[in-house]
Amino acid sequence: MPPRWKHSAMMAPGGPELEILAPTGGRTTVPLDPVPFLIGRQDNNHLVLRDNRASRNHARIVFEADQYWVEDLNSRNGITVNGEKVERAVLADGSVIGFGMEESYALVFRSMRPVGLRTTAPAGLKRLRSILEVARTLSGSLSTDHVLASLLEAAMSVTGCERGFVLLREGKGLAIRIGRDVAGAVLSDKDLTVPPEVLCASLDRRRELLSMTLEEYGHIVCVPLLRVSMAGGEETAVLGSVKDSVGVLYLESRQSRADLSGTSGELLQSLAVEASMILENARLIVQERLKERMERDLDLARTIQRDLLPDQFPSTGWFRACGVSVSSAQVGGDYFDLMPVGEDRWAAVLADVSGKGVSSALLASFLQGVFLAATGESTSAATVLERVNRFLLHRTNGEKYATLVLVTMDRAGRLVWVNAGHCRPLLWRRTGEVFELRAAGLPVGMLEEATWEIYRQQVVPGDLMVLYSDGCSEARNAAGEMFGVRRVGETLLEYAPQGAQAVANGLRRAVEAFAAGEEQGDDLTVLVVEYHG
């Protein structure tokens, strides 16, 4: 890939110059102007090396005590003069400067340039430089087609070809991404001389990394576009293998043979690499925007879930409760709620809608509305589940379901619950015993004919019941071990004497300590109801 040289407006005739030896065998000569003369990969250097192994600011040439010196600027690979690694060295006529890398550029220092010889770059090269600068600027935008059009224009200018196309991989074949002629007119697949399937076959069986020949079709130039891997971020960009191609830069001329001698062939290969970099950057931008959109969706889902939860809990009187919910990286459809049903009864529910993301969080909000509307003073728990079941079936056609536990408790200590495929609640008696409450029944939203059994239990003052989601019992640590129902019960035994709030907060802390920062796949949701008589 040719380096890019930026010169000052004034150049002293007869001054020193640098002969640039490219790894591909090409060479060009530029004046050593201005001084100090900066060399490196970054665009603010006077000589920009198109080699990602070069440091941003690699070396410089200075003039001191009537001599020219080359200095290493703390580069990653260092510099050499006539094959010997140096930090600073005097340059004599013919001194060869290397950059500490195999098969990279070398500079030959020429102390005097004869007056009258051509010292400026060829007109085509100047035009290419300006076009590449435009392309480099445009590569930061989303107009990839605009950038590729500029590259095609540059390629036709360098080679003398009249038409150009960029074809990209699409499935097992190639499809035209953009086509232009030398006048800028848009070309279609009908204007392509070589069939795409022939190009694809030639691309797959080629032996060289950066060239293809199709002499049987006339004056055709094809340069593969190789996949670029940003293995080390900005510092390292690695070209793919011979078989790892994303497409082809195709050029043709009907009037004259394309110029591929010396600098032209090297610049054409440089263009192909530029195109590959642009396509890779565009792909990364699309990926990043998709990621950002997913993050926004997850944030929205977390907000929906947070807004579903009650912000106040009864903390005095015969019925007390407390709940917590901690969002995971993957958003599910957990929610819990409680409400008074008449003067002497409370209802509580904890549900988990199947799936992840915004759809599950939204469905959980609808489910909450159905729960609030269906729960009445004279409505049985089984009737509430039947209504919720019909709602889900009609809205999602069986594609979404929810597990839930619905509980009612009255002033007399009559505890009633229905479990629709959810984690079994735990009941702590003031005697210090813990019981896992029975469960039977399908999740709601799966079958129209589903039925649920109602369970009853008499509780006494001080007893409390824990409802939790599988994000609690199935939380995992770094070793892949689950928190488990046993640990839920042990935590309940530890905190139950202190009341509902202590149990809810204690369970959250216990699970978080067990997970020790490991990312979890589900939300942690706990609801504790307590009877005080």
Side-chain angles (χ1 to χ4, degrees):
M1 198 187 304
R4 181 167 55 85
W5 166 62
K6 297 190 290 186
H7 60 84
S8 62
M10 299 294 293
M11 292 179 289
E17 61 187 12
L18 296 172
E19 184 179 5
I20 304 171
L21 307 180
T24 57
R27 61 179 62 200
T28 188
T29 303
V30 299
L32 181 58
D33 180 77
V35 177
F37 189 85
L38 303 179
I39 306 166
R41 181 166 51 81
Q42 193 161 284
D43 279 351
N44 61 0
N45 289 283
H46 301 107
L47 182 65
V48 180
L49 299 176
R50 299 305 186 201
D51 189 327
N52 285 292
R53 298 171 297 172
S55 296
R56 290 187 178 92
N57 300 298
H58 202 113
R60 69 175 181 175
I61 298 175
V62 298
F63 185 74
E64 294 179 4
D66 293 328
Q67 290 182 310
Y68 285 93
W69 298 74
V70 62
E71 299 176 342
D72 180 29
L73 297 180
N74 294 318
S75 64
R76 180 171 49 197
N77 293 305
I79 61 172
T80 61
V81 173
N82 298 328
E84 181 179 350
K85 190 167 185 178
V86 298
E87 293 184 2
R88 191 172 191 265
V90 173
L91 295 176
D93 187 48
S95 293
V96 179
I97 304 169
F99 299 97
M101 303 167 291
E102 294 183 0
E103 298 183 359
S104 187
Y105 294 96
L107 306 179
V108 181
F109 176 77
R110 303 297 184 191
S111 59
M112 296 295 293
R113 183 179 69 244
V115 178
L117 293 182
R118 186 178 70 178
T119 60
T120 58
L125 182 56
K126 284 185 175 180
R127 185 179 183 188
L128 175 60
R129 286 175 182 148
S130 64
I131 292 174
L132 282 178
E133 285 302 313
V134 174
R136 193 175 296 279
T137 301
L138 289 173
S139 66
S141 73
L142 293 180
S143 181
T144 307
D145 287 346
H146 193 180
V147 178
L148 293 177
S150 297
L151 288 168
L152 276 180
E153 179 184 349
M156 289 184 286
S157 173
V158 167
T159 61
C161 290
E162 301 157 11
R163 305 196 303 175
F165 298 84
V166 173
L167 297 96
L168 301 181
R169 294 276 190 186
E170 191 173 282
K172 295 183 178 180
L174 290 171
I176 293 176
R177 173 66 179 268
I178 192 167
R180 296 286 189 273
D181 66 14
V182 72
V186 176
L187 303 178
S188 68
D189 52 355
K190 296 179 181 178
D191 300 302
L192 192 63
T193 300
V194 182
E197 54 270 21
V198 174
L199 287 174
C200 189
S202 300
L203 193 62
D204 291 336
R205 67 171 178 261
R206 76 190 192 283
R207 295 183 178 180
E208 296 183 27
L209 197 63
L210 293 171
S211 66
M212 289 169 56
T213 56
L214 298 170
E215 297 177 356
E216 62 269 30
Y217 286 94
H219 304 309
I220 305 295
V221 178
C222 293
V223 183
L225 304 179
L226 302 178
R227 189 173 302 279
V228 177
S229 172
M230 303 297 192
E234 185 180 348
E235 288 289 342
T236 308
V238 181
L239 290 179
S241 65
V242 169
K243 294 184 178 180
D244 194 16
S245 304
V246 296
V248 64
L249 173 62
Y250 171 99
L251 302 165
E252 65 177 47
S253 176
R254 296 182 176 181
Q255 297 180 359
S256 60
R257 182 172 294 276
D259 177 15
L260 292 179
S261 60
T263 302
S264 294
E266 184 182 342
L267 293 177
L268 186 60
Q269 292 178 356
S270 174
L271 277 172
V273 175
E274 290 285 344
S276 299
M277 296 279 286
I278 291 167
L279 292 170
E280 178 65 10
N281 287 336
R283 186 185 68 83
L284 293 175
I285 288 172
V286 170
Q287 281 188 346
E288 184 63 26
R289 296 202 167 192
L290 286 174
K291 181 180 177 182
E292 291 174 357
R293 187 172 68 183
M294 290 178 64
E295 285 297 326
R296 287 195 299 268
D297 287 347
L298 290 175
D299 287 340
L300 173 61
R302 294 186 187 102
T303 300
I304 292 170
Q305 287 181 296
R306 186 175 62 248
D307 292 344
L308 290 176
L309 305 179
D311 54 3
Q312 293 182 344
F313 299 96
S315 57
T316 60
W318 68 268
F319 179 82
R320 302 175 189 181
C322 186
V324 296
S325 186
V326 180
S327 297
S328 68
Q330 297 294 327
V331 178
D334 285 10
Y335 91 91
F336 66 86
D337 204 357
L338 45 87
M339 62 180 292
V341 184
E343 296 182 0
D344 297 319
R345 192 158 64 108
W346 278 81
V349 65
L350 191 149
D352 184 1
V353 178
S354 63
K356 307 291 181 185
V358 177
S359 63
S360 294
L362 287 172
L363 192 56
S365 68
F366 287 122
L367 198 60
Q368 183 189 40
V370 175
F371 164 70
L372 294 173
T375 305
E377 189 170 357
S378 60
T379 308
S380 70
T383 301
V384 173
L385 261 63
E386 289 170 2
R387 293 176 180 177
V388 172
N389 189 54
R390 286 198 302 269
F391 168 81
L392 282 178
L393 281 171
H394 293 162
R395 295 299 189 278
T396 69
N397 296 318
E399 294 180 0
K400 283 281 188 180
Y401 63 89
T403 65
L404 64 86
V405 176
L406 177 61
V407 177
T408 63
M409 181 184 292
D410 66 14
R411 187 184 291 271
R414 289 186 290 263
L415 178 66
V416 179
W417 74 93
V418 179
N419 193 321
H422 199 75
C423 304
R424 293 183 178 186
L426 299 181
L427 178 65
W428 179 82
R429 310 304 297 264
R430 67 179 183 178
T431 58
E433 300 172 286
V434 173
F435 298 94
E436 189 175 26
L437 299 180
R438 290 174 296 174
L442 293 171
V444 291
M446 294 188 74
L447 296 174
E448 183 111 27
E449 60 273 16
T451 59
W452 295 271
E453 187 173 352
I454 297 177
Y455 298 93
R456 294 176 173 84
Q457 177 78 43
Q458 182 66 41
V459 294
V460 298
D463 290 353
L464 57 78
M465 182 182 191
V466 176
L467 289 68
Y468 59 92
S469 68
D470 54 9
C472 177
S473 58
E474 296 180 6
R476 294 181 181 271
N477 60 18
E481 183 183 7
M482 290 197 300
F483 188 73
V485 177
R486 179 180 60 83
R487 288 188 177 88
V488 175
E490 291 172 350
T491 308
L492 175 57
L493 281 171
E494 179 180 355
Y495 290 100
Q498 304 173 42
Q501 184 174 353
V503 171
N505 292 331
L507 262 174
R508 183 198 65 201
R509 291 194 300 269
V511 171
E512 289 176 346
F514 175 81
E518 285 297 306
E519 186 175 294
Q520 300 300 310
D522 208 346
D523 297 346
L524 162 63
T525 306
V526 176
L527 177 61
V528 184
V529 297
E530 184 179 3
Y531 177 63
H532 275 260

